[in-house]
Amino acid sequence: MRIREINVTPVAFRDPPLLNAAGVHEPWALRTVVEVVTDEGLTGLGETYGDLDHLVRVRAAAEALIGHDVYGHNAMYATVAGLVGADVVTDLHGLTGTSSRAKTVDRIFSPFEVACLDIRGKAVGRPVVDLLGGRVRDAVPYSAYLFYKWAGHPGAPEDGFGAALDPEGVVEQARLLIGRYGFRSIKLKGGVFPPEQEVEAIHALREAFPEHPLRLDPNAVWSVETSIRVGRELDGVLEYLEDPAEGIEAMARVAAEVPMPLATNMCVVTPEHLPEAVRRNAIGVLLTDHHYWGGLVRSAHIATLCETFGIELSMHSNSHLGISLAAMTHLAAATPSVTHACDTHTPWQDGQDVVVPSSGGEGALRFVDGAVPVPDGPGLGVELDRDALAIMNEQYEKCGVRSRDDTTYMRSVDPSFSARRPRW
Ligand code: GKR
Ligand code: MG
């Protein structure tokens, strides 16, 4: 079955002012929707970043992949790799680690691989999880992903989530998300306020939610010394500490001195990083992410490798829509070593989406007790909502944002803001 056509559509959707170490989310988040159409009339979906330099490369890859066999992932990967030179895609927010040629190839290849798996599942009438080895769980647990945030974007009305700028606000936000989705783990995005204030918020969460595993992620804005101090202070409180310091060497120094495992989606972001991270014992948990680990199959291979070296798995997310949530859910459902609840930004999209479930109406992509039941329809189990896609594409055309840049947006509000690392 060969690829006849590929539609690449950039979209924009509303995003609340979520604070992080790089600045603050802009009012519009970007994604790119990839739709692969075969000569037999089957279609498959993929979702990836919407930043302009990435979009340009995805479009070039889409052209180059016409005519490929949807079962020939190795040939497709080689074609994509052949398009990428020494210049690499960087993320302006800098929260997903360093860029490299390998990571760039993996990022571009990923949505096409997911779309072809969607097609292959539809062709045989089986969900994608079955193409990845079959399910080891029926539902994938996600964590309540908390962010410090303003009540609304400057100059705009308050959004429905309210402000969260102190421990009380953070606990309130946790109650809201847990009340709506039933999450059973909590992650706080840190690196926004001095570490003492974030430690205070974690203690407040522990008091309010004594049974929920907790994580804190300051996106590498702490020095090694600060990371060790905070790690020791939170002994017995955190399930894991995510990216406290920058780079494998610094993480290894912290890991040797703190009681909890360190997790990362910043210092180990391509297979090239694994040997050194293993040799130095830098991490206990890898937050995998099929969007930059080269799709679902390559992510599953990395998971097996991690298992060999005793590294547990969780899953990383950026602002995303339902195609990504479906793909993440199929992957996590087929991966035994994903033993920690995965991250998702879904609650922050507040119902905006480009897909509807294709199987069982309400049955797919719903959160039940904080977990998404694995869609059991063929392929990813989601269908494109063409009206929603057209609206979001129009939003993209009009919104003016072309690449995510949390720092510049933050500086437009607070000119003294600095995203330097380490900050504390
Ligand atoms: O959405 O602001 C955000 C997050 O900070 C995201 O960009 C990170 O990449 O979720 C991510 C993380 O765990 O570091
Ligand atoms: Mg992280």
Side-chain angles (χ1 to χ4, degrees):
M1 199 180 345
R2 303 221 160 244
I3 298 177
R4 193 187 69 206
E5 181 187 327
I6 302 180
N7 303 313
V8 175
T9 313
V11 295
F13 48 93
R14 294 188 182 282
D15 205 16
L18 307 180
L19 299 161
N20 60 36
V24 58
H25 286 208
E26 295 165 88
W28 297 98
L30 309 180
R31 295 294 268 183
T32 297
V33 174
V34 168
E35 187 188 17
V36 174
V37 185
T38 71
D39 52 3
E40 294 181 16
L42 284 178
T43 59
L45 299 173
E47 178 183 332
T48 181
Y49 308 96
D51 307 86
L52 190 56
D53 57 351
H54 180 64
L55 173 64
V56 167
R57 289 162 195 259
V58 167
R59 284 198 164 124
E63 241 173 70
L65 290 171
I66 302 295
H68 270 263
D69 179 359
V70 296
Y71 292 91
H73 286 191
N74 290 332
M76 288 171 64
Y77 190 82
T79 296
V80 172
L83 298 174
V84 179
D87 55 323
V88 296
V89 172
T90 46
D91 71 54
L92 283 174
H93 54 93
L95 298 172
T96 55
T98 52
S99 302
S100 67
R101 185 177 175 277
K103 190 178 172 197
T104 300
V105 174
D106 283 349
R107 280 168 64 129
I108 299 168
F109 175 67
S110 174
F112 301 104
E113 188 253 19
V114 172
C116 286
L117 286 169
D118 189 18
I119 289 169
R120 287 163 57 179
K122 286 175 180 167
V124 293
R126 303 292 293 247
V128 165
V129 64
D130 288 355
L131 308 181
L132 301 173
R135 65 181 70 194
V136 293
R137 48 186 71 88
D138 291 327
V140 171
Y142 287 88
S143 60
Y145 195 166
L146 312 183
F147 281 81
Y148 288 107
K149 73 176 284 293
W150 299 327
H153 282 283
E158 293 192 1
D159 58 45
F161 296 103
L165 296 164
D166 53 23
E168 295 71 42
V170 167
V171 168
E172 201 49 43
Q173 188 185 92
R175 287 193 203 291
L176 181 82
L177 298 193
I178 289 170
R180 278 187 195 166
Y181 298 91
F183 295 118
R184 292 181 172 174
S185 309
I186 300 175
K187 162 167 170 171
L188 174 61
K189 171 59 60 183
V192 174
F193 293 113
E196 307 71 56
Q197 291 182 36
E198 299 186 352
V199 166
E200 223 187 292
I202 289 290
H203 283 304
L205 286 168
R206 171 48 69 240
E207 207 180 311
F209 301 95
E211 304 300 332
H212 284 61
L214 302 175
R215 310 115 184 227
L216 174 60
D217 176 12
N219 281 115
V221 282
W222 299 342
S223 66
V224 168
E225 295 67 32
T226 302
S227 303
I228 294 172
R229 177 168 53 76
V230 174
R232 288 180 178 163
E233 263 172 56
L234 291 175
D235 185 10
V237 183
L238 290 186
E239 171 191 23
Y240 57 70
L241 178 57
E242 190 173 319
D243 285 311
E246 186 162 24
I248 292 174
E249 205 244 313
M251 288 281 280
R253 284 166 58 204
V254 178
E257 302 291 337
V258 299
M260 69 284 286
L262 298 190
T264 191
N265 59 269
M266 294 181 76
C267 73
V268 178
V269 292
T270 78
E272 301 159 313
H273 297 140
L274 266 176
E276 196 196 343
V278 168
R279 199 167 43 245
R280 290 178 177 254
N281 247 324
I283 58 165
V285 180
L286 177 71
L287 281 88
T288 172
D289 183 332
H290 74 271
H291 302 91
Y292 61 77
W293 281 93
L296 304 182
V297 172
R298 293 176 92 83
S299 298
H301 291 168
I302 291 297
T304 310
L305 207 55
C306 285
E307 214 175 331
T308 306
F309 293 105
I311 297 173
E312 296 175 355
L313 288 190
S314 183
M315 210 177 265
H316 167 256
S317 92
N318 280 124
S319 304
H320 65 89
L321 295 167
I323 302 169
S324 286
L325 183 64
M328 290 156 73
T329 301
H330 284 284
L331 175 61
T335 312
S337 55
V338 176
T339 49
H340 299 275
C342 301
D343 291 353
T344 178
H345 284 59
T346 297
W348 299 111
Q349 270 56 88
D350 213 12
Q352 304 170 95
D353 213 339
V354 283
V355 288
V356 287
S358 60
S359 76
E362 284 208 322
L365 294 184
R366 226 169 12 121
F367 285 82
V368 181
D369 296 332
V372 175
V374 185
D376 49 19
L380 289 174
V382 292
E383 258 169 42
L384 207 48
D385 176 341
R386 292 193 185 278
D387 293 339
L389 182 73
I391 291 170
M392 284 199 196
N393 175 245
E394 202 181 320
Q395 289 174 174
Y396 172 84
E397 295 301 338
K398 288 191 180 148
C399 76
V401 179
R402 286 297 174 265
S403 289
R404 176 179 170 185
D405 187 354
D406 298 8
T407 305
T408 302
Y409 182 48
M410 177 58 114
R411 284 201 188 124
S412 72
V413 179
D414 171 8
S416 70
F417 176 78
S418 159
R420 76 178 177 278
R421 292 198 290 252
R423 188 161 170 209
W424 287 288

